[in-house]
Structure formats: C-alpha cells, structure tokens
Amino acid sequence: MFGFGRKKDKAKRGAEAAAQPMQPPRPQGGAAVPPPAPANGHTNGPVRLIDPVPGQPQDMRVGIVQALEQPEGGRGYIVELTPAGQMNILAWIADDDAVHPTATVLAEKPSTAGVELKFDPWNEGNDRIGAIFIWDTEHGFQGDDPDIPICIGEYMVDADGAVLIAQCSFDAGAYARTPHPRAEAVAACWLLARRLPALRGERITTSSGRFVDLFDQIEKMPLPDAVDMIIHRGTSNTGRVTQIERALARQLVEIGAPQLRAIAANTELGLRRLGTNGQFWINFDQNAVQGLQRDLVIAVEGAFNRLVDARNAAAHRDNDIALLATLDERTTGFVFRSAFVHWGEHARFTRGEIGARNPYMELYDARAKRGGAWESLTRFGNVAERLRLPLRLQYGVDVDNESGVMAIAFNAPTAMGFPASRVDNDGVWRDVRDTRGAQASVYVLRLAGLLAYVGFSSSIATTSVTITARAGTLTGTPVLSMRFERMAFYGDVVPRYLGGDIDDDAFDFDPAALLRLLAPSAQAVDLGDDLGFRGVTPLPLPEAIKAHRVPLWKDMRELPADLGVRLRADRACELDVLHDDAPISIADVEKIINDNEDSPVSAAIELESVVMELSKSLPQETPAFRPLYCNNQGERELVTLADDDDPQAHADGRPSVDPSAIRYFKVPDALFRALAELARISIANGQFDKAKELLARVHHIGKLSIPPYISESAMYVDGAEPDWAKDADVLTKALPYAVEPCDVAVLYYRLAYAMRNLGKADLSAACYAMTLTIPVRWLRDTALEELSELLDGDLNRAPAIEDAKQLLRANGIPVVPSHGLMHLLARNTIDLVDAGFPKAAGIGVRLLAAAERDDTLDWLGGTLLHGTYGEDELGDE
C-alpha cells in the first residue's frame, strides 16, 4: 500500500535537502499541559498541544500524547481536549508516519487498510524529502478504489529531524513557514486534510491532490461521466474545488461538452494519454463521428490538453509536485490563454532536433539511404509526433529530395475548438465568442509556419515547401495554401519564431497581419467577414511529387534493378494487388455466397463456373512466371517467401529456375475467394479429399495468405474425430508467413488449443503466452481464460515470454514474426520509399509500425498511402 516512487530528479532534490539544513531553525514544539481528566478510563501522560492550523475552530485544542499504551515505535496519539477538561483519542501515528484513526488505545499495530494519511519518502532510503498521501478508506478518490491515495503535498526534513510542509493543497499556516517536530507536522496535516473536512461534512476529492490524480480519475471514467464530473464539481459552491477545475468547467460548458453523452450513446469514445507528449487523445470512429460532432469531440480534447498545460505550469511553481491548488484564478486564465501561443517553444524544440540521431535509419538490420526520402519523412514525423500542440494535429507529407521539394497537408481546426472566453491583460475573464473565427485563422497560420520549419529542418535537400491546410480533417476542404522558399524562410520567418515575434498577442485576432509577417512566396487565402478562412483552390503540387502519387496499377515507372529482383517485378504497376479489373469481381462472388446461403449445392455450382471463367483469363503459368494472390500490399513485399523451389530436391543441388528471373502475375480476388469458399463448402459437406485439392490450389496461388491455413486446420478438428496433430502441423506451417498481428495471434491461439488437446500443456501455455503479447482485444480475454483453466487458475505459473519462445523453438515451432521476415519487409519497404514509390510501401510500413508499436511509423504508413492532395487535385494543372 505504501512506497510511492518518484522521478529521478526527486532523488537529486532529496540529496540536496539532506546536505543542507533548512532555515529558519525549528521551534521547540508546543507547550506541555497537565494531564486532563480521562475521557475513556485510561491513565494519561502530559499532552503536547500542537500549533493551530488554518480553519481550526478557536475552542478546539489538539495535541499529541506519547505516554499511553501503543504499539512499539509509535509516535503517539492525536487527541482533542474538550472544554470540560476531558481527552478524546482521535488517531494514532505509527513509526512509519501513517495515521490510523482510532478512539481507543492500541495494543498492536493495526492493518494498513484503515490508514488515512501518510508521510512517504519519494525515494526509498532517503527520508529527507517525501510526499504527503491521504486515503478515502470508505469511498476511494479514483474509481471508487479505497486503496488508491492522492498526494496533497510535499514535506522536507532538516538536519535536526524537524519537518517543513514545503508544498500543500491546504493552507498549512505555521507548518509551511517553519519546521516542526515530525509527529506534530503529521498530526497537523491529518487535521487539515481529514479531521476538519469531516467535521464540516466535506468529502475530499482529487481536487485536493495533484493533476496526475485528476488525470488518473478522468482516464478511468467513461468520457461523458468525466466531463459531467468536472462540470458539476467546477460549478458547485459546496466542497473543495480548485480554480483550475472552475476554469475548465467553464470552457467545457461553453463548447457544449455535455452533448458528448449523446454521441457516446451511439459510438465508443475513449480518452487516453499519449506516450509521446503526455497529451490527451480521444479515440473515436472517424466514420461514425463527423461534422459538428467531430468538432465537438476535438474541442473537448483540446480543453483537456489545456489542463496538461496547466499541470506543467503548476509543476514549474511547486517543485514539480503539480498540485491542482497551486494555480490561482488569474494564473489559470493566463495558462489557458498561453496554451495557444507556445510557437517559439515549438520552434526551439524543432531546432534542437535538426542534428539529433534519427532512430528510424535502421530497422531489423535494414538501413535507409542517407539523405533519402525515408530519412526526411521519419525525421519529420519524429518531430511532429512529439509537438505538444493544444489541438489535435493530423498531417501528411510528400517529398522528393532529388528536386528539393516537399508538400505538407494538415488539418485546420474549426472555430469550435477555440475558447469562447479568456482572461484579458487585466486578469478579467472576457467573452470572446465573436473572435473564434479569427482565433482559428491565426492558429492555422502559426501552425503552417511551424510545420514548414519542421519540413525544412528534416532535410538539407529541401529547398521549397508547399503547405496546405484543410478544414477539420485531412480530407476536408482546402482553406489555406502557401509556398515557402528555404533561404527566405530561414532569413525572415525562422527568427520571428525563435525570437517570439510570432507569439505576440497583437496577432491573436489579426490573421491578415500575421500573414504579412510570414510573407510566403505564393499563397491561396480567403478570409471571411468573421476573419475565418473560406475554401480555396490549393497551390499546384510540384511535378516531381505528383509523379509519386500515380495510382500504383497505372505507375509504369521501372523499379531499380536490385529492388526489382527482390520484389520479382520490373515495373511499379506489377506490385499492385488491389486494382481488380477481372470480368467477375469479388462483389459478384460475395453476392453468389449470400444469395445461396441456404443452398450450398447451388452456391458450389455457380462458384465452380466462376473459377472456370476466371482461370481461362489467366496467363500461362511457367516455372519462371507464377500466379500470386496477396491479401495486401505488405504481403507483396514478402514475395520471395513464395519461392518454394527447394534446391535439395534436384540432383545437382541447384534450383530449377534462377530465383532472380522469377516473376509473378496477379490472381483476381474473385478467383481466390471462390476457391476458398468452395473448400469451405466441401469441408462442411465432409468431402475432405476435394477440400484438400481446393486448399492445395489456394495455397499454391496464395502461399502468404493466412486465412486458408486456418480453414484447413479447422477441417481436421471440426469433424466427429478431430485430428489435433494435423491441425497443429498446418498451423505450424503457416506461422513463418504471418506478419500481421491479428494473424499471428490467431495462429498461436489455435495452436495453443491444439497442443492442449494433444496433452502438451507446456507447449500450450507457451502458445497462449505468445498470443497474449499481441494487442488483439477481441481474442485476449478468451486466451487468458483458457490459459487460466490450463494452469488450474494459477496464472502465476504462466511462462515468461522468453522462456515460452525458447520452449517453442526447441520443439520446432517458429517464433514469429521472425527477424529474417521483418528484415526482408523493412529492407524492401525502406528501399521503395527511397526509390520514390510511396504507394507501394505504405502497408509495409504499417506492418512495421504494428510490430514496433510505434506512432511515428504508423503515421508514416498513412502518409505514404494517402499523400497530401486528393485524387481530384492531382490532374493536369
């Protein structure tokens, strides 16, 4: 229950505190008074009264008694002296500075479950500086969990052992000004934070703690409940509420945040904090939440991120404790206001990253070309992902380093995302609802210049940046388009960011003046009557970049020779797996399946006709010209795994065909789907020999596709006499081709079940362990439940992941995705990007991102696929 660690810098401060005695020196403590008449039949020693605390009634006298019977090492009882001269025991202070409420003397140390307050060192072994924690042992502060405390402040211990309340959510009065004996300081804090609020009928909430306590509470609640809690608390006149909560509640009400509940009733809204920059992020279905609803969600997210800014401001003021009570109303107002004007800070961060090591230059032993597109794009994303902006940023980038051009697109927040009230220079809250359009325009202009700086700094080769802002989302209407040239930008614009000119509040409502300051070489801007942006035709995309955005199936550019050999293709169009112009589409096949759901015989007849028709249109297969079906573009990058010609099968030990000469032709989606469905129907009808023939053909044309292996494995176990060994063999055979997290998780899960039925409990547990390492939510609970059953309910017996891998390898079961497969994927993906074929590389990057669980790579995959301009904007200018 105890032992709350702290950041490393706390350890440093603790050492400094230990080395330097605090000033001024401590007093001698409260005066001893004669023993009062006993109120509970006990013999009483002298009571040492403690100094009163703010808010303590004038007739209340509280002290500490040591002479009563108590557990060994105790620091005494906290007692109250009544006007009648009696003494009431209120609590006992243990030797570890934990306060246990009690009305009687204690013969032995009570359970920690009832502790209400504790002084706890930030770092184990250093008791010179620590935290003051309190518990609500009845209700709990966060998620109704009574075992989770909140931190209300920090104490420091001088060389004589006296304690100063260095920071506290409550006004500690004399205890914050001069050190006091340790037991007295503990008693005073308990009186302030627990006893007096209880006497007033107040329930202490996370308002009394740190920002992090409130953040934890918010994240554990459904988002609409968290919003309503803050609004209720911030608008209430009862209980203890901080100014930051009142300011946040005001802004949530102004943007209509209570309407989130209606949105959440129809689609899931999840709030979390990002690991890259510590900001809040609301997860939602982009297709289900659009228009004004999306604007509202983003506005609420922005309001919570102003809370993160406030946390940083409080930490700067209160020794990094970041107490909610640290900020007064005026400071809170200025923090909320300044959240939109940290552009100098963002620019300095960008400048500091220019020469930093790029962690993405090598992945799985595959290296990117120095000065190539991969380096530029990952440098851009690595900086942009860590910008701590007040509103959500979505962005895409295209680059061609040979010609020195870059294109950037980003989302322009709508007016709803900006405050309807803010503190003016006199510290008074003013209604600024009519300026929200101008606020939005100014924000977008400042952001455009910053992103241009990130673009230029990502590569010395970039000499021109074209940047376009789109309303709301990356697919929204273009509302701003500008072009910057490198030397003019570095000479005239960058100094204004680094020097703080861009942050000047003279621009806060004047986008026209700010635009003049940025002075782009070309622009497309149209300001409305409210000074908000209206739709524009964006500046044309540079020709070199436009060439990269040709749909893959129409891209006739030749691949570099080495890359072409590895991908078994000569031109970019041969890499396409998505464009399907076959005479029968996959939609036609799905219709046949759905229309004949109750008549599998009729479905089989029609599907066999589809197979015959489509097979006739395929090229003639030869050893060097082979059919290939890929489920996605990433599989196409792994095509050499499909080169299954075994040299050992030949007398001379050589393959029958030079692998570098092999090429593949695309198999229509409809043919693959029809064959797979025919195999399923055959399995359902018990026609296993026919099913095997069909599945063999499916594997031949789609060796890298995992679903057919799963269908085949099911064939062996869905009958009356399951063959778990054959099931396991098929799943093991499929594993080396698995790279998508969902495929990997399903294969290991099914293999775990097969091993369980084969009586190989250790291998089954290892496969379950592998399943649980992969974030596939719909499978996790089932796998966990089955693993628990396997281990007789004792999950502590589950193998460590490294032990599980070692066991699998020893039994011939691959640990996937293997390093060799990931090296192949990374090498081909990086080289495709550097060669100027982003559309062919996007899914490969997404697969790398999933394996690495990396936000920058995930962004890169999206920007490679979608670029910066819509297809309707890529025509001839």
Side-chain angles (χ1 to χ4, degrees):
M1 185 172 180
F2 303 136
F4 297 91
R6 192 64 168 162
K7 299 191 306 182
K8 289 182 179 179
D9 59 331
K10 280 292 179 186
K12 181 179 178 182
R13 276 204 299 278
E16 291 170 350
Q20 300 176 5
M22 292 187 301
Q23 298 296 330
R26 69 180 180 90
Q28 294 303 308
V33 297
N40 48 20
H42 296 289
T43 302
N44 305 293
V47 178
R48 180 170 295 278
L49 294 178
I50 68 172
D51 290 338
V53 298
Q56 180 176 333
Q58 288 188 351
D59 59 349
M60 176 184 286
R61 294 189 299 163
V62 176
I64 296 175
V65 172
Q66 276 280 3
L68 294 176
E69 178 188 4
Q70 62 176 316
E72 184 178 355
R75 300 190 190 279
Y77 292 91
I78 304 174
V79 300
E80 181 180 356
L81 304 181
T82 69
Q86 294 182 317
M87 181 182 75
N88 292 325
I89 297 175
L90 304 177
W92 173 69
I93 306 174
D95 57 354
D96 60 357
D97 298 323
V99 178
H100 301 257
T102 180
T104 62
V105 296
L106 301 172
E108 59 184 25
K109 191 171 184 177
S111 165
T112 59
V115 169
E116 290 189 339
L117 179 142
K118 186 176 188 296
F119 279 27
D120 200 63
W122 286 129
N123 298 283
E124 187 175 353
N126 175 15
D127 195 29
R128 308 308 291 270
I129 182 170
I132 306 166
F133 287 99
I134 61 172
W135 283 260
D136 182 340
T137 54
E138 183 178 355
H139 305 99
F141 300 113
Q142 304 172 43
D144 295 326
D145 188 341
D147 290 331
I148 298 179
I150 61 175
C151 172
I152 63 166
E154 181 177 64
Y155 68 87
M156 299 179 71
V157 184
D158 71 8
D160 296 327
V163 172
L164 178 75
I165 307 304
Q167 306 286 344
C168 192
S169 294
F170 299 83
D171 179 5
Y175 297 88
R177 293 190 294 271
T178 56
H180 281 65
R182 192 179 192 98
E184 293 182 21
V186 172
C189 283
W190 177 80
L191 188 62
L192 276 170
R194 301 297 294 152
R195 179 66 174 174
L196 294 181
L199 294 176
R200 294 191 293 264
E202 296 176 6
R203 179 183 169 191
I204 301 300
T205 67
T206 49
S207 294
S208 295
R210 298 172 292 176
F211 278 84
V212 68
D213 298 316
L214 180 60
F215 291 169
D216 286 347
Q217 184 179 24
I218 289 170
E219 288 186 82
K220 289 178 181 178
M221 301 175 72
L223 181 56
D225 288 351
V227 168
D228 286 352
M229 174 199 73
I230 290 172
I231 291 175
H232 172 75
R233 189 185 291 179
T235 56
S236 172
N237 290 320
T238 61
R240 179 180 175 81
V241 183
T242 58
Q243 292 301 323
I244 186 67
E245 290 169 291
R246 294 200 184 279
L248 180 60
R250 177 192 294 112
Q251 297 208 340
L252 287 173
V253 168
E254 290 170 350
I255 62 179
Q259 298 175 50
L260 270 183
R261 191 170 297 279
I263 301 173
N266 297 310
T267 186
E268 184 177 356
L269 300 177
L271 185 70
R272 66 185 179 96
R273 290 186 74 194
L274 299 176
T276 49
N277 55 22
Q279 290 191 290
F280 283 101
W281 183 274
I282 299 177
N283 292 316
F284 60 91
D285 185 340
Q286 303 277 358
N287 295 320
V289 182
Q290 297 183 344
L292 290 175
Q293 287 191 336
R294 185 186 188 282
D295 290 347
L296 175 60
V297 170
I298 299 303
V300 170
E301 182 181 274
F304 278 118
N305 281 330
R306 291 195 281 282
L307 196 62
V308 176
D309 262 32
R311 179 263 165 219
N312 296 333
H316 182 71
R317 290 164 171 78
D318 66 10
N319 200 34
D320 203 29
I321 311 300
L323 295 167
L324 287 164
T326 294
L327 302 182
D328 58 25
E329 182 178 16
R330 179 187 175 90
T331 306
T332 296
F334 280 113
V335 168
F336 274 16
R337 174 175 162 179
S338 66
F340 293 94
V341 286
H342 291 310
W343 304 103
E345 180 182 330
H346 299 319
R348 287 187 289 275
F349 167 73
T350 300
R351 181 180 61 180
E353 292 296 308
I354 290 176
R357 186 185 75 86
N358 184 350
Y360 300 98
M361 289 299 285
E362 183 174 327
L363 288 174
Y364 297 98
D365 296 327
R367 287 198 58 80
K369 182 175 69 174
R370 178 68 186 271
W374 178 272
E375 181 179 24
S376 295
L377 291 169
T378 53
R379 277 194 178 280
F380 190 105
N382 196 34
V383 173
E385 286 296 307
R386 290 181 291 153
L387 291 174
R388 195 170 48 80
L389 298 170
L391 295 171
R392 177 179 297 205
L393 172 65
Q394 294 176 298
Y395 57 99
V397 183
D398 277 316
V399 64
D400 185 84
N401 283 348
E402 251 185 68
S403 57
V405 295
M406 176 179 283
I408 303 169
F410 70 98
N411 66 308
T414 63
M416 185 181 288
F418 295 85
S421 63
R422 77 172 197 169
V423 165
D424 64 16
N425 292 336
D426 296 326
V428 179
W429 284 90
R430 305 287 187 190
D431 187 326
V432 291
R433 197 176 311 270
D434 293 341
T435 71
R436 293 169 93 181
Q439 289 184 62
S441 298
V442 167
Y443 179 86
V444 170
L445 284 166
R446 284 166 162 162
L447 179 55
L450 176 69
L451 293 179
Y453 186 30
V454 177
F456 282 122
S457 67
S458 66
S459 175
I460 193 67
T462 301
T463 58
S464 177
V465 169
T466 302
I467 187 162
T468 301
R470 298 171 179 272
T473 69
L474 279 178
T475 58
T477 302
V479 294
L480 171 71
S481 194
M482 300 189 294
R483 182 167 292 130
F484 294 103
E485 304 303 327
R486 186 181 190 98
M487 296 318 298
F489 187 83
Y490 271 90
D492 300 329
V493 181
V494 172
R496 297 187 184 279
Y497 274 89
L498 298 176
D501 295 351
I502 294 291
D503 292 347
D504 195 320
D505 57 13
F507 298 118
D508 286 356
F509 308 114
D510 193 349
L514 185 57
L515 183 59
R516 290 192 295 273
L517 195 71
L518 292 174
S521 62
Q523 64 186 53
V525 182
D526 186 9
L527 292 170
D529 293 338
D530 65 347
L531 298 183
F533 286 134
R534 295 189 289 209
V536 297
T537 299
L539 298 175
L541 197 64
E543 290 298 324
I545 287 177
K546 191 185 296 186
H548 299 169
R549 307 313 310 182
V550 174
L552 194 57
W553 65 278
K554 292 198 297 186
D555 192 345
M556 302 302 293
R557 289 178 298 159
E558 290 187 358
L559 297 168
D562 178 60
L563 183 59
V565 168
R566 281 185 270 129
L567 295 175
R568 307 295 190 250
D570 298 313
R571 296 180 180 274
C573 56
E574 297 169 28
L575 301 177
D576 172 66
V577 302
L578 297 179
H579 181 70
D580 194 350
D581 54 4
I584 302 173
S585 70
I586 193 169
D588 297 328
V589 173
E590 296 293 350
K591 188 175 188 305
I592 291 172
I593 295 170
N594 294 332
D595 289 349
N596 296 279
E597 189 174 359
D598 298 326
S599 179
V601 174
S602 298
I605 293 172
E606 291 192 53
L607 291 172
E608 286 171 354
S609 176
V610 167
V611 171
M612 289 180 60
E613 179 69 22
L614 291 177
S615 296
K616 289 189 300 185
S617 64
L618 293 180
Q620 179 66 42
E621 178 181 352
T622 70
F625 196 40
R626 306 177 180 183
L628 181 66
Y629 169 82
C630 289
N631 186 52
N632 60 54
Q633 208 66 50
E635 284 183 11
R636 183 62 182 80
E637 292 187 45
L638 300 171
V639 66
T640 53
L641 298 179
D643 296 345
D644 55 0
D645 193 11
D646 183 6
Q648 300 303 318
H650 304 280
D652 60 1
R654 296 179 181 178
S656 60
V657 62
D658 180 2
S660 67
I662 296 174
R663 294 295 181 266
Y664 288 89
F665 60 85
K666 184 168 61 177
V667 173
D669 293 346
L671 176 57
F672 187 84
R673 180 71 176 92
L675 286 169
E677 181 61 18
L678 282 170
R680 189 197 66 79
I681 292 173
S682 298
I683 293 171
N685 291 336
Q687 299 172 308
F688 296 122
D689 289 339
K690 183 177 181 180
K692 289 177 183 178
E693 292 177 7
L694 288 163
L695 286 169
R697 186 173 178 187
V698 168
H699 291 320
H700 177 65
I701 63 178
K703 185 175 182 179
L704 306 181
S705 184
I706 300 302
Y709 290 99
I710 295 174
S711 297
E712 184 178 356
S713 81
M715 177 178 68
Y716 295 117
V717 298
D718 286 349
E721 297 181 3
D723 190 333
W724 295 106
K726 286 186 176 179
D727 175 35
D729 287 344
V730 171
L731 296 168
T732 302
K733 183 180 177 182
L735 275 169
Y737 307 126
V739 62
E740 288 196 72
C742 186
D743 286 344
V744 174
V746 170
L747 288 175
Y748 276 124
Y749 169 74
R750 292 185 65 90
L751 191 55
Y753 198 75
M755 291 299 175
R756 183 177 179 180
N757 282 281
L758 288 169
K760 300 178 179 180
D762 53 347
L763 286 175
S764 178
C767 289
Y768 278 125
M770 294 295 291
T771 302
L772 292 170
T773 63
I774 303 165
V776 179
R777 291 175 57 188
W778 60 270
L779 191 58
R780 181 176 180 81
D781 289 346
T782 303
L784 199 59
E785 182 180 345
E786 292 179 13
L787 177 59
S788 179
E789 291 175 1
L790 180 70
L791 301 176
D792 298 324
D794 185 8
L795 287 173
N796 290 324
R797 292 168 49 204
I801 190 61
E802 290 305 319
D803 293 338
K805 290 179 179 179
Q806 185 175 351
L807 182 63
L808 292 175
R809 291 190 184 102
N811 285 271
I813 298 173
V815 173
V816 301
S818 68
H819 182 84
L821 181 149
M822 297 306 294
H823 168 77
L824 177 63
L825 178 65
R827 185 183 180 196
N828 288 341
T829 298
I830 291 171
D831 286 354
L832 279 168
V833 174
D834 280 340
F837 299 96
K839 283 184 171 290
I843 296 299
V845 175
R846 283 273 173 88
L847 294 175
L848 291 169
E852 293 290 296
R853 301 181 190 179
D854 186 278
D855 288 339
T856 297
L857 289 177
D858 189 55
W859 161 78
L860 179 58
T863 201
L864 292 173
L865 288 172
H866 305 299
T868 57
Y869 277 50
E871 288 191 11
D872 59 329
E873 298 165 351
L874 290 176
D876 294 334
E877 304 300 334

